[in-house]
DNA sequence: AAAAATTTTTAGACTAATCTAAATTTATTA
DNA sequence: TAATAAATTTAGATTAGTCTAAAAATTTTT
């Protein structure tokens, strides 16, 4: 079993949009927008993927991954995230630089390569953005994390992930001194624009916009230690 | 500047055949045989590569790499060999297992990635098969090595490379206990079939076929220490 | 329940990379 | 040097992946 880079990119996109839509069928236009491709091209490709039993496709109703499609998409995500860890941990790239390269590396074939890379990296469970890495059997641990914008002030939280992977956002966090594992304490939410006053361990207080707080995922500090 | 995987594979093949032919033009059929592709397809592609100024092409006369083509081919070889070192040194693959994977990895784009990988590996000068690795500027050191079949018995040599990269040959060397860096002493050449009696440091004597000796590259032990 | 708007599919075309078979050019041999 | 053989190119097809424009289906609005 092996698929083209293009086919694999479709599988990943369908997986991503499925997650967002709570497993409801993914519509042609959504896929077209996500992949920056004409809707007509998507229609073509999903017919081919359906023939290969990677997705179920009902005309005008959208597509869903089959078990096989799920498995393959998960495998691609495993590869992508392991390579991201490699680029950061071993080659010293920053968390806003690794995505593009991993986007290529995820298509390199070789199960043995993936498993040895996993071992070399010490079987990491999360990637540089806090996203879980599926293991050899396609299983992964989801964390009970929430956007910082949703939590109650007056308690310490640990930064465990980001929802926005854009370079600008990640560099903005760097600028603020916020990284995965940072201890952050929300002080108050300002009703006017929903911005949030927060402070990092031993640091001065500062303000985060609603948008910035929405995309920052945190866990309560005591819960985190059990993970 | 960036080229398709296919174009890059043509460049590498032309480079390889040019080396063999002493820089005389590479003929369509040679390229077709090397790449296991129909001659007509080669004609098509070399016209495209000539348009992109990567090769000079005269109808019916064969092709030669331009300076730009040389540069790019050398860059691909640099990437291929660095990834081979990574797979062997860091992931623990054997020298007969790395080529296929490197064949894919050499097409991954990112100059910074290549240079960081190089640094991570400690700027290796030779790959797991003893082939030289071009540096960031495309320069590399060729060693004064010769096939074991050509050297005079009665002196100790160091194994520095192989000419045959096939799995069967490399595994055969493993079986004999011959690796890069092995000290090997040719005892005599047998006139009947040009086979060679040799011995490894402290080991018993054994016989190598002419073919096996032709593909094993060695340097005299004292010369090697200066490299 | 029509009409209008939106979404999706179909139709037809294009490029890259390949193939086979036929035509052409170059090299070898008689 | 003419005939023959070998190498190379051209011609015409095919497949994957993409596009735009038009047609068809579905959904929303009136
Ligand atoms: Mn990524
Ligand atoms: Mn990531
Ligand atoms: Mn190789
Ligand atoms: Mn090699």
């Amino acid at each position: 079993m092996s698929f083209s880079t293009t086919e694999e990119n479709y599988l990943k996109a369908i997986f991503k949009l499925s997650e967002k839509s709570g497993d409801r069928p993914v519509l042609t236009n959504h896929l077209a927008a996500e992949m920056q491709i004409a809707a007509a091209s998507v229609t073509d490709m999903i017919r081919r993927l359906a023939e290969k039993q990677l997705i179920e496709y009902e005309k005008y109703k959208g597509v869903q991954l089959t078990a096989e499609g799920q498995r393959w998409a998960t495998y691609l995500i495993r590869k992508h995230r392991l390579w991201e860890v490699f680029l950061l941990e071993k080659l010293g790239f920053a968390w806003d630089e690794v995505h593009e390269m991993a986007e290529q590396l995820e298509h390199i074939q070789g199960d043995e390569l993936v498993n040895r890379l996993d071992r070399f990296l010490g079987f990491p469970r999360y990637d540089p953005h806090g996203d879980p890495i599926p293991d050899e059997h396609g299983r992964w641990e989801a964390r009970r994390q929430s956007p910082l914008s949703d939590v109650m002030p007056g308690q310490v939280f640990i930064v465990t992930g980001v929802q926005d992977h854009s370079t600008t956002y990640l560099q903005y966090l760097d600028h603020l001194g916020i990284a995965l594992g940072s201890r952050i304490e929300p002080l108050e939410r300002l009703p006017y624009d929903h911005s949030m006053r927060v402070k990092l361990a031993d640091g001065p207080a500062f303000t985060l916009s609603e948008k910035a707080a929405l995309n920052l995922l945190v866990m309560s500090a005591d819960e985190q230690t059990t993970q």
Side-chain angles (χ1 to χ4, degrees), chain A:
Chain A
M1 223 144 352
S2 107
F3 306 102
S4 73
T5 294
T6 309
E7 290 170 327
E8 291 190 337
N9 285 334
Y10 272 89
L11 288 180
K12 277 212 314 168
I14 294 167
F15 184 91
K16 184 175 171 186
L17 296 181
S18 285
E19 266 190 329
K20 276 194 204 166
S21 78
D23 284 323
R24 288 205 312 287
V26 173
L27 304 177
T28 302
N29 269 4
H30 289 176
L31 215 38
E34 169 72 22
M35 304 193 71
Q36 314 229 65
I37 228 173
S41 307
V42 172
T43 303
D44 252 24
M45 178 56 89
I46 62 187
R47 256 201 273 89
R48 262 175 281 152
L49 293 176
E51 256 167 47
K52 295 191 181 185
Q53 320 260 26
L54 292 167
I55 59 176
E56 283 180 70
Y57 166 46
E58 203 181 337
K59 259 189 177 183
Y60 294 98
K61 300 299 180 192
V63 300
Q64 272 180 307
L65 293 171
T66 60
E68 176 63 13
Q70 284 269 352
R71 196 160 40 242
W72 202 263
T74 303
Y75 181 50
L76 290 166
I77 285 163
R78 168 170 161 77
K79 290 199 277 182
H80 182 105
R81 292 178 182 170
L82 284 174
W83 281 114
E84 283 191 346
V85 173
F86 169 74
L87 294 168
L88 190 114
E89 294 286 322
K90 302 297 182 178
L91 299 194
F93 282 103
W95 68 343
D96 62 296
E97 299 176 313
V98 298
H99 182 78
E100 291 282 292
M101 287 175 275
E103 210 53 50
Q104 300 176 60
L105 287 161
E106 71 194 4
H107 303 288
I108 300 292
Q109 288 169 348
D111 295 351
E112 185 68 14
L113 169 58
V114 180
N115 291 334
R116 278 178 188 253
L117 179 63
D118 196 7
R119 181 172 356 145
F120 178 61
L121 299 171
F123 302 106
R125 287 179 300 166
Y126 301 98
D127 85 357
H129 311 102
D131 296 312
I133 300 177
D135 71 15
E136 193 178 354
H137 309 291
R139 288 188 279 268
W140 70 88
E141 333 172 344
R143 275 189 287 214
R144 272 188 265 86
Q145 54 191 4
S146 10
L148 181 66
S149 54
D150 289 6
V151 303
M152 281 293 161
Q155 205 193 333
V156 175
F157 292 86
I158 305 286
V159 175
T160 53
V162 291
Q163 295 219 272
D164 177 354
H165 289 202
S166 71
T167 301
T168 48
Y169 183 59
L170 298 177
Q171 284 182 357
Y172 178 57
L173 294 180
D174 285 343
H175 175 72
L176 295 172
I178 298 175
L180 289 199
S182 291
R183 299 175 72 83
I184 194 169
E185 187 182 342
L187 304 172
E188 57 170 334
R189 206 185 326 263
L190 306 178
Y192 171 59
D193 62 356
H194 302 279
S195 68
M196 224 175 185
R197 276 200 81 66
V198 302
K199 82 188 252 320
L200 294 171
D202 303 329
F206 58 93
T207 303
L208 267 183
S209 70
E210 185 188 22
K211 186 175 174 194
L214 259 168
N215 287 311
L216 196 64
L217 299 170
V218 300
M219 287 177 76
S220 80
D222 29 303
E223 212 179 340
Q224 202 267 346
T225 57
T226 70
Q227 293 272 334

